Amino acid sequence: MVAAPSELTGTSAHCPNPDPKENLTTCNNNKQVCLAGSCSGSVCLKFNLEECFCDKPASAGDVDESCHQCCMYEGSCTSSSKIPEMQNYTMQYGELPIDSTDGTKILFQQPGTPCDDYLGYCDVFYKCRLVDSNGPLSRLTKAIFNPDLYENVFAWIQEYWWATILIALGVIILMALFIKCFSVHTPSSNPNLKEARKVSHYTNTLRRRPRGNNDMQMR
């Protein structure tokens, strides 16, 4: 809420509810205006203009105005820096772009503001970043639950049934060998089974034996 300061009246311990600021009072770093006590209006309203979205550049050499404060002017969506009524305001409250060569300030949108007709958002560098609706999780879900994928797998199994059987047998044999090799190191409470082998039994053979008294006497 955008409100005027509130002061104690001396008759109560609580501050009275503050009155909202007048409409069209600038707020949010002079990039928006107050409407009914809320900083939600475009600064274009201060100049009796309507806010709009500037298009992204058609070619690489054009200036990207998609994150500029744009207003409808003479039937077209125009950057505030090109509107005569807003040039003084833009020069006073705007920012100088990093790649500026003529010293012209730009009234940029706040980071996080929608741009390109709600297809993206402005980042901290005042670049319009398009929102990827097909994110990594969505692409992974579509890839896993794609019906065409399973149809291709079933067709391959029907055509190469012998290879499928060999792969299944290979997996079973590999699992059996894995269990056989590592079961000797797994402790068990069954008294009929042999005691589990310790891995350290094999590693100790690689260690250097400590010198005894006999070795010292031989030297």
Side-chain angles (χ1 to χ4, degrees), residues 61-135:
D62 296 338
V63 178
D64 187 2
E65 298 180 348
S66 53
C67 282
H68 291 194
Q69 180 63 61
C70 299
C71 309
M72 291 297 298
Y73 181 74
E74 295 183 352
S76 63
C77 193
T78 309
S79 173
S80 59
S81 60
K82 299 178 181 178
I83 300 176
E85 292 85 347
M86 299 184 65
Q87 285 183 353
N88 292 335
Y89 186 88
T90 303
M91 291 299 295
Q92 183 178 0
Y93 299 109
E95 301 177 43
L96 193 65
I98 299 177
D99 54 352
S100 176
T101 57
D102 55 359
T104 302
K105 290 186 177 181
I106 302 296
L107 194 64
F108 290 106
Q109 297 276 15
Q110 285 286 94
T113 304
C115 59
D116 197 13
D117 200 11
Y118 296 101
L119 295 179
Y121 63 93
C122 296
D123 62 5
V124 294
F125 302 105
Y126 306 116
K127 299 295 183 182
C128 187
R129 305 295 181 184
L130 297 180
V131 177
D132 185 11
S133 58
N134 295 324

Side-chain angles (χ1 to χ4, degrees), residues 70-213:
C70 299
C71 309
M72 291 297 298
Y73 181 74
E74 295 183 352
S76 63
C77 193
T78 309
S79 173
S80 59
S81 60
K82 299 178 181 178
I83 300 176
E85 292 85 347
M86 299 184 65
Q87 285 183 353
N88 292 335
Y89 186 88
T90 303
M91 291 299 295
Q92 183 178 0
Y93 299 109
E95 301 177 43
L96 193 65
I98 299 177
D99 54 352
S100 176
T101 57
D102 55 359
T104 302
K105 290 186 177 181
I106 302 296
L107 194 64
F108 290 106
Q109 297 276 15
Q110 285 286 94
T113 304
C115 59
D116 197 13
D117 200 11
Y118 296 101
L119 295 179
Y121 63 93
C122 296
D123 62 5
V124 294
F125 302 105
Y126 306 116
K127 299 295 183 182
C128 187
R129 305 295 181 184
L130 297 180
V131 177
D132 185 11
S133 58
N134 295 324
L137 183 59
S138 177
R139 291 195 296 268
L140 180 62
T141 303
K142 291 180 180 179
I144 294 176
F145 298 101
N146 186 9
D148 297 335
L149 174 64
Y150 296 102
E151 291 180 1
N152 296 334
V153 172
F154 291 149
W156 187 89
I157 292 175
Q158 291 177 356
E159 183 176 358
Y160 300 99
W161 57 269
W162 52 270
T164 306
I165 296 176
L166 291 178
I167 293 174
L169 290 176
V171 171
I172 294 174
I173 294 173
L174 182 63
M175 292 178 61
L177 291 176
F178 181 85
I179 296 173
K180 180 64 177 178
C181 293
F182 289 94
S183 62
V184 296
H185 301 288
T186 304
S188 176
S189 59
N190 190 347
N192 298 325
L193 295 179
K194 295 181 180 180
E195 185 180 357
R197 299 179 183 178
K198 296 181 180 180
V199 180
S200 59
H201 173 73
Y202 302 98
T203 57
N204 287 337
T205 58
L206 301 178
R207 296 180 182 177
R208 187 174 182 179
R209 295 181 179 180
R211 295 180 180 179
N213 295 331

